[in-house]
Amino acid sequence: MPTVEVTSNPLTPSTRLRAALRLTRFMAARGSDPAHVVVSFRTAEPMAYFAGGMPLTTYEDDAGPERTARWASVVCHIHRDRDHDYRARLADEIAQALGVDPDGAHLTVHFRPTRPDHVFYLHEGSMTSAGPAPAGRDQQKGLQHARP
């Protein structure tokens, strides 16, 4: 279950929707089940995010949502078999999806390779993963999200 967690300055709902759709399409085109791609957004409260000791979240961030990210910190949980090329392309796709200014924005993308059998999700009333299924259960259940 690939997961992208974005913490940034306030973004409009339409900006978040466009970014989530774009990232889902990117991952689906590379083998992930789109139903298992999770993108979440969190707006950092004022004076909560610093780079080089300087706050990137100021009290001015309360002025209202914006259409692009002036700064963002992103954490991606992806299949452990994804290679450097995939990670580099996904990082670039995230920058484009968030509309960051390549010259003036602050963006970090952290990748946390994750084994599919370490991710559990609710499916048909029970928790499942891509790990070995108990005897009598469908062995293919839960494997769609695990494709590298």
Side-chain angles (χ1 to χ4, degrees):
M1 180 170 290
T3 304
V4 178
E5 302 166 352
V6 178
T7 302
S8 71
N9 57 279
L11 300 173
T12 63
S14 61
T15 298
R16 293 190 302 259
L17 177 60
R18 278 193 303 276
L21 288 173
R22 182 173 178 158
L23 296 174
T24 298
R25 289 178 183 136
F26 175 90
M27 291 184 197
R30 287 153 184 83
S32 294
D33 181 340
H36 289 147
V37 175
V38 175
V39 181
S40 63
F41 296 87
R42 182 177 325 130
T43 300
E45 61 185 79
M47 303 301 285
Y49 190 85
F50 296 78
M54 299 304 294
L56 294 179
T57 53
T58 65
Y59 290 108
E60 295 160 8
D61 284 346
D62 289 333
E66 299 178 30
R67 293 179 193 239
T68 61
R70 286 182 286 121
W71 65 269
S73 175
V74 180
V75 177
C76 300
H77 299 268
I78 58 171
H79 194 286
R80 67 181 181 174
D81 293 340
R82 294 290 190 175
D83 63 11
H84 177 79
D85 183 58
Y86 177 89
R87 291 188 307 270
R89 288 178 187 219
L90 179 54
D92 186 56
E93 193 71 16
I94 289 167
Q96 291 178 36
L98 294 176
V100 297
D101 175 5
D103 296 323
H106 173 84
L107 174 64
T108 58
V109 179
H110 301 267
F111 289 99
R112 300 215 173 117
T114 305
R115 291 177 31 178
D117 62 330
H118 286 186
V119 177
F120 287 79
Y121 59 94
L122 187 63
H123 181 74
E124 295 179 1
S126 63
M127 296 304 291
T128 187
S129 77
R137 296 231 6 225
D138 181 0
Q139 295 291 322
Q140 293 300 309
K141 234 183 190 183
L143 293 179
Q144 282 293 85
H145 74 280
R147 288 184 275 162

